[in-house]
Amino acid sequence: MTERATVDMWFDPLCPWAWITSRWLLEVEKVRPLDVRFNVMSLSVLNEGRDELPERYKELLAKGWGPVRVCIAAAEAAGPAVLRDLYTALGTRIHLQKYDIEDPKLFQEALAEVGLDPSLAEAAHTDARDEALRASHNAGMKPVGTDVGTPVIHAPGPNPGETVAFFGPVITPAPKGEAAGKLWDGVVLVAGTPGFYELKRSRDLGPIFD
């Protein structure tokens, strides 16, 4: 049997592009020997002090502390493996059902769905776990730098014991089945090439949650 590899993704529940990438990775699990592990980064942490950002985006980032704080509280209460299902529960409500991220029901319902105490939703309003949040964020972002956002992926590199880290891929909609696997093969190939840094084109579509 082929040994399964572990791939780590860092997400902020706020980001629609990270959500689509996460759904793609879950498809890749079905057709390639890998298991995805989910971790928390924060666009609010990443963009602290950036006064040049548009006011509307800064308002969104101010609200963005809540979801990531709840994720950290859940991971502390039940272990980091709970983030896989909690991200699905949160992302479904945020991106598909269009819950307001300041709606208390968003967190309470998502927590209850994964078997956690809904009172953990109170973590959204306190900075008590921000040190742990920053530690998780920094673990994901340090290998890729701070001029990217989410999704960030850490994957096994081409040489034994080596890890490659990269931002992306930014895709829409998420490929399914073997198409998802082929995209994974290509992404890992270029990410594992020494000196490869960027492949990009202008987006002509918004997020498609298919």
Side-chain angles (χ1 to χ4, degrees):
M1 294 180 64
T2 303
E3 184 178 351
R4 296 181 69 84
T6 298
V7 171
D8 283 280
M9 176 185 164
W10 271 259
F11 69 91
D12 184 320
L14 215 57
C15 179
W17 299 103
W19 170 252
I20 294 171
T21 299
S22 73
R23 301 308 95 180
W24 163 66
L25 285 174
L26 294 179
E27 283 290 313
V28 176
E29 274 190 336
K30 302 173 185 177
V31 295
R32 296 293 184 271
L34 60 85
D35 298 304
V36 183
R37 192 164 54 188
F38 290 97
N39 309 268
V40 183
M41 65 84 67
S42 170
L43 292 170
S44 301
V45 170
L46 182 69
N47 290 287
E48 279 181 311
R50 294 186 60 188
D51 294 332
E52 75 278 9
L53 295 172
E55 284 301 318
R56 187 173 179 181
Y57 189 55
K58 286 195 283 188
E59 291 171 5
L60 181 64
L61 293 174
K63 300 176 182 179
W65 290 96
V68 290
R69 285 169 169 169
V70 170
C71 285
I72 292 296
E76 289 185 354
V82 77
L83 291 174
R84 180 186 182 98
D85 291 337
L86 181 59
Y87 183 26
T88 292
L90 287 170
T92 297
R93 288 168 173 79
I94 293 170
H95 302 297
L96 305 185
Q97 300 173 0
K98 305 302 181 183
Y99 277 53
D100 187 306
I101 60 172
E102 292 187 305
D103 184 346
K105 290 191 298 182
L106 165 65
F107 304 125
Q108 293 166 359
E109 291 180 6
L111 289 162
E113 182 176 315
V114 299
L116 295 180
D117 186 343
S119 70
L120 286 172
E122 297 169 8
H125 308 295
T126 173
D127 62 2
R129 297 175 179 85
D130 282 6
E131 184 176 348
L133 169 62
R134 292 176 189 278
S136 178
H137 173 90
N138 291 335
M141 301 305 295
K142 186 176 180 180
V144 294
T146 57
D147 59 346
V148 300
T150 181
V152 163
I153 293 172
H154 296 191
N159 300 313
E162 181 182 43
T163 299
V164 293
F166 52 90
F167 164 74
V170 176
I171 47 175
T172 192
K176 304 294 193 297
E178 183 57 21
K182 288 181 178 179
L183 177 58
W184 174 256
D185 297 340
V187 166
V188 173
L189 175 64
V190 296
T193 300
F196 181 88
Y197 292 107
E198 190 167 350
L199 180 68
K200 189 172 184 179
R201 57 186 171 190
S202 297
R203 301 177 199 169
D204 57 4
L205 288 173
I208 299 173
F209 305 117
D210 185 3

